[in-house]
Amino acid sequence: MSTTHNDVYVKSRKENAMSASRFFCVRRVVFALLCTAIVLVSVFAVPSNASAAGLDPFVETSTGSASSVAYGNGVFVVVGNKVIRTSSDGYNWQSISVSQNYMDVVFADGRFVAVGYEGYVAVSTDGMNWSHYQVTGSSYGGHKPSLDEVCYADGKYYTNGAFTYGTNCINIVYSSPDGVNWNKVLDEAVPNSSMLGYTIAHANGEFLLTGWMSFGYVSTDGVTWTRISTNVSSIREIIHANGTIWGTDGYNIYTWDTMSHQWTANTTESLMYTYDLAYINDQLFALGLNSAYAPRIELSEDGGITWTQYSMTPSPSVTLSRPCDAAYGNGVYVVAARGDIYTTKPVFSVTYDGNTATSGSVPTDANTYYSGDSATILDNTGALNKDGYTFAGWNTRENGSGSSFSAGSFTNISGDLLLYAQWRQNAVTTPVPDAVIPATGDGSNVPLLLSLSLFATIGVVVSCAWVIRRKRD
């Protein structure tokens, strides 16, 4: 059959169409594979439960009076209005009823020391068993002042109080080597009922007691106190933070210059009301309320230059939840907030163990997880190997008697998870030995050769007989 030009043209178009169709299909397949890869990366490479830098989320763990919190000897202690609460984990709290109202607590030198109304002091080493004491009265009327704060410096505890006496303000400071025996180191009348010293701290070899009306005291030895005037009208809280005294007047945050005895404002912090400060794990905390009067914490990790704000949601039954103190222990932060106690969620991890692997490396899960989060079990990405064995997944116990997990599976996190590589022994095959022909020259091969010769001879004879018979036929 002859082929016309038109036939060639039609055939060419069909081939081009088929080629284009194949190319289009290939493009669709490639596109689908790319989309699948992107989805897999987004799901597995960047889990949504990976935690952000900074502070972990807070949850309310208790309600009730909470003025101050400290951590030591494995327990948290929160003091308040006729109650002391303790917890080893920051979540489960035990309440101890007391007859006194305690305002502040510190842990130092192996013991908790709490101070409060009418000169009462409470001391405990475990947070559960407390001894209560009362300081001696002021020389002005024998009055036992309410003690506002307690700090520890130079091997002693120091606490301060103030009260009005006629038209005077009496400022008083006590010191103690053990929290039990207290001595008055300052007991002075100031002719102005508003010049009250509310807060005390120590840094760079100097004590600072300050309060209202641009007023304060300084001391280098904790015994002799000198009255000074400062450039801020009222300071309601000061703390010692990494060699610096930080203070707040309720609206702004300041740093103290021990040379000039003046305050310098920090303008980068943005809480509407700052009631207290804390310094934990090289981080500066500002505790207070935002412009909507909601409880907030601002955290600075660079010495007050930049701040990150964190929110806390109070219980609906709490009419005022005002953060006033913070402490850290057992992997969590605890905030006392007048009518609430807040605790950061515990952070958990997933780690892997090679479990007698002879080479390779374990996979690394860099994510942090909270209780209830879902974690993806990783594959043997580090090429773990054990001679004579095959990798067979992961288990919560070395011997495989726990919970088993395969790569790509999911599990809900309720605590730190350690997974051990499991190994399945390879099948052992017994090799069949090859036939061994004895070497020549030692006479041992004579029977074998004779047998072979005999079979060869018989074969020749049979063949010859068959040929002769054919010829006869």
Side-chain angles (χ1 to χ4, degrees), residues 177-191:
D178 54 12
V180 177
N181 302 288
W182 294 86
N183 298 311
K184 283 184 291 185
V185 292
L186 174 67
D187 188 10
E188 182 177 87
V190 181

Side-chain angles (χ1 to χ4, degrees), residues 3 5-24:
T3 302
H5 176 74
N6 187 58
D7 292 334
V8 173
Y9 174 72
V10 170
K11 181 179 180 181
S12 177
R13 290 197 61 184
K14 288 182 177 179
E15 291 176 347
N16 290 338
M18 292 177 64
S19 177
S21 177
R22 287 195 297 269
F23 179 70
F24 179 70

Side-chain angles (χ1 to χ4, degrees), residues 342-398:
Y342 293 97
T343 307
T344 51
K345 289 184 177 181
V347 176
F348 301 120
S349 63
V350 178
T351 54
Y352 296 83
D353 188 292
N355 193 17
T356 70
T358 54
S359 63
S361 59
V362 296
T364 301
D365 188 342
N367 298 311
T368 54
Y369 300 93
Y370 304 116
S371 181
D373 284 347
S374 179
T376 302
I377 303 304
L378 301 180
D379 202 350
N380 183 14
T381 56
L384 287 172
N385 181 62
K386 182 177 180 179
D387 295 339
Y389 291 79
T390 299
F391 176 76
W394 307 96
N395 196 281
T396 54
R397 293 190 177 181
E398 294 174 276

Side-chain angles (χ1 to χ4, degrees), residues 96-329:
I96 305 167
S97 297
V98 295
S99 301
Q100 299 77 26
N101 296 340
Y102 287 107
M103 300 296 295
D104 196 27
V105 62
V106 67
F107 179 84
D109 197 26
R111 62 176 69 89
F112 294 95
V113 174
V115 297
Y117 288 5
E118 298 178 347
Y120 273 101
V121 178
V123 180
S124 173
T125 57
D126 60 7
M128 292 296 297
N129 301 286
W130 293 84
S131 299
H132 301 270
Y133 308 93
Q134 196 173 25
V135 299
T136 57
S138 168
S139 58
Y140 297 89
H143 185 76
K144 293 180 173 60
S146 291
L147 302 174
D148 296 306
E149 292 193 354
V150 58
C151 72
Y152 185 81
D154 292 345
K156 291 183 179 180
Y157 302 90
Y158 290 83
T159 184
N160 64 286
F163 62 95
T164 56
Y165 185 73
T167 59
N168 293 326
C169 170
I170 310 302
N171 291 288
I172 192 166
V173 175
Y174 297 87
S175 70
S176 171
D178 54 12
V180 177
N181 302 288
W182 294 86
N183 298 311
K184 283 184 291 185
V185 292
L186 174 67
D187 188 10
E188 182 177 87
V190 181
N192 187 325
S193 60
S194 297
M195 299 180 69
L196 298 172
Y198 280 133
T199 179
I200 189 170
H202 178 272
N204 296 328
E206 183 177 78
F207 290 91
L208 173 63
L209 170 68
T210 189
W212 300 108
M213 300 296 290
S214 304
F215 157 81
Y217 288 91
V218 293
S219 174
T220 57
D221 58 7
V223 177
T224 303
W225 296 77
T226 302
R227 194 192 319 166
I228 60 171
S229 295
T230 71
N231 58 328
V232 177
S233 60
S234 64
I235 294 292
R236 63 183 308 150
E237 174 65 19
I238 59 175
I239 62 164
H240 164 220
N242 197 25
T244 300
I245 290 181
W246 293 76
T248 181
D249 58 0
Y251 301 95
N252 302 297
I253 291 180
Y254 304 87
T255 55
W256 177 251
D257 186 340
T258 56
M259 298 298 293
S260 65
H261 290 163
Q262 300 297 303
W263 294 101
T264 300
N266 182 298
T267 58
T268 57
E269 190 272 332
S270 62
L271 286 180
M272 179 63 72
Y273 303 101
T274 301
Y275 292 104
D276 213 322
L277 302 171
Y279 189 73
I280 307 169
N281 293 341
D282 296 326
Q283 301 170 114
L284 183 63
F285 290 76
L287 304 99
L289 306 176
N290 66 2
S291 57
Y293 298 95
R296 292 289 188 272
I297 288 179
E298 281 204 326
L299 170 66
S300 176
E301 298 180 286
D302 56 10
I305 299 174
T306 57
W307 298 81
T308 303
Q309 193 171 120
Y310 299 88
S311 62
M312 297 179 293
T313 303
S315 167
S317 63
V318 177
T319 56
L320 177 62
S321 184
R322 191 182 76 187
C324 56
D325 200 7
Y328 177 84

